[in-house]
Amino acid sequence: MLKQLGRLERTRNYFIIGFIVLMAVSLVIFYAPNNSGSATPSKERPEVVAKVGWDKITLGDVAQRKEQMQKQYAQFGNQFNLAQMGFTDQRFLDMLIQRRITVQEANRLGLNASDAEVADALRKQFRDPGTGKVDIDRYKEVVQTNFGDVNKFEQGMRDDIAAQKLQSLITAGVSVSDQEVLDDYKRKNTTFEVSYILVSADKVAAKITPTDQDLQAYFNQHKAEYYIKDPQKQIRYLFVETAKVGEKMTIPDADLQAEYNKLTPEQKQAGVKVQQIVLKVADPKLEDAVKTKAAELVQQARGTTGTATEQAFADLAKGKSEDPVTAKDGGRIATTVRKNPNNPKDPLQQTLDMTVGSITEPIKFGNAYYIFRRGDSVPKSFEDAKPELLVSLRNRRAYANTAAIAKKAFDLLKTNNDVTKAAAALAAEANMAPATMVKETGFVKPGDDVKDVGVSQQFEGGIAPLNNVGDVGEVTPVKNGFAIPVLIAKKDPRDANFDEVKEKVTTAVKTEKAKAQVEQTAKDIITGAKSAAELKAAADSRGLEVLTAKDYKVGSPLGGEAAAAGGKPADSTSSTPALEDAIYGLKEGEVAKAPIKSGDNWIVAAASKRKEADLVEYEKQKPQLTEQLLTERRNQVFDDYIQTLQDRMLKDGTIKIYKDQLAKLSEFDETDPTAAPPRRPQMPIPPGQ
């Protein structure tokens, strides 16, 4: 522990918590010390996974960095999934490598941090803003809990300061002109309504009809790819459908009454009564006034008790609510408000969790503000609940009875594996025609989409033990019921013949031809569409759609929720520099002069509308925009500097990564560990630099 902190006094708990959240962003992602409170300390996983100059990185270091980040992100409510965000073990290792490079370069240039600088930084992080003091014992407790070791934490802080000094040195000469700031603002804030056609191989393939000669030639050239390595089995199975068994069942009212009696008090509620006051926003300019009026009505309704009686709220609604239908009845909503998990955005759902008489805050929904009062619960009588109880009990009993019938079928088939005879014997009990109970597959193998069954692991598991013709499988749950399979034929692994893989060959040929035609198709569309208005005709003639992205800004994905084709959301298309440049350069009504490649697809884009950036707003934000662009420019310069060092060290062997050790990482993503790692996360620029 640094001596300079020895005299510091206690800090409040909320400040410590705030520091931890801050460290989640500023320290953990790039600068945070390498140790944490991991249950698997580095000394217990000492295998060296990489060397960076004189530094070693162990499996334990990687595990600790991962655990540390998981712990920090957990403070945000566990809404972040590190794996989905791209944080593989490979990336955690890359982060550690990049940190070592930065610290070593800072040390080489003599940019070490002094004890005084470290102490000052720690005081700023832990000091109570009210007293200006730090509780040394609490400091140790927090650091040990969240980072594992005080000495290593402080060494990490020392490295952070050195890294910031290095960044300041490297980026000291970086500047931006007023014109660059203005151009950047215009680029980021000009909005478009983009009409575009996504020309994909799949869509082009749908228009291609290969000849039989094409298919046969392709199959002959790729026969090895169609080798059938798994045994194929043909199955005849007896099927018992749950719904049919249920149709035959009679459920006495006494049984339903017993089910009703088991319901909890909450389950015996049909919903709640609700009253409302509605204030409409006739003009967007009046929204603030309407919101203020709504807030005043809430206070008036709540009075001194915080709640309102039904009559008091009714009197207020009759005089103030602007919904004529409910206002004349005291704001009472005619229907009972019930739980609806399929519509969580419905503001009425809030009332279900309120107490009787409670009043909501004003809720903006559509073009109006709503104020709701929770009324009494509405009981659900036995007669009201009866339809739901009947469905539930019938389903449960039908499932049990279907399973029992399927067990009888299994016993019959074990004695005599004749599926037709077993179906005839059980048809009346199953409430099915014998012919509908007997089903048969083609030759299938694991992973196949089986008619009436689909891709089913349970069905595959049920037929897996069947190896000899006549073998009978166990009762197997399948879609809508149960199956008892019998093996009627089998083919061992072999070369496929053309007819049995013709469908797959057709798909492959169409895709191959489409890939060769997709770019030309996009170019042909541009040739035939001289303006945005002409895109639809060019698309229709080729069986394609024109999608629309409203309020598009450079840097945003093209599509997703903002796009629609025929009123339906369109798939999001990743933004690329070429796509952004092409769209930003479009005048209103203009079609891009060339298609833009995006992954395996080509995009034909046009600007149906273009709205220039607001220059009045630019003048207001100019100081912040200048600092923001300067920060981005500094980050990029420093990023390039570290990347250059990293590339050189990889090339000359100063950085070594050990594949055999890297393979031990629990979630390794199989990226080539000897390749240059992704570009390092950009560092924050210290204030004032």
Side-chain angles (χ1 to χ4, degrees), residues 6 11 57 68 89 129 136 148 158 176 229 330 333 337 377 391 398 458 471 498 512 517 555 603:
T11 187
I57 300 174
Q68 188 180 57
D89 284 334
I136 196 66
R158 189 182 302 277
V176 293
K229 62 181 180 180
I333 296 176
V337 177
S377 297
V391 171
Q458 290 176 308
D471 284 353
F498 174 74
E512 188 175 85
Q517 297 178 18
I603 297 173

Side-chain angles (χ1 to χ4, degrees), residues 471-488:
D471 284 353
V472 178
E474 300 288 338
V475 174
T476 304
V478 293
K479 184 169 58 178
N480 301 324
F482 292 89
I484 304 89
V486 177
L487 180 65
I488 59 174

Side-chain angles (χ1 to χ4, degrees), residues 148-164:
D149 182 273
V150 172
N151 290 330
K152 289 188 176 181
F153 174 80
E154 291 175 0
Q155 180 59 49
M157 181 68 78
R158 189 182 302 277
D159 292 342
D160 296 342
I161 295 171
Q164 289 173 358

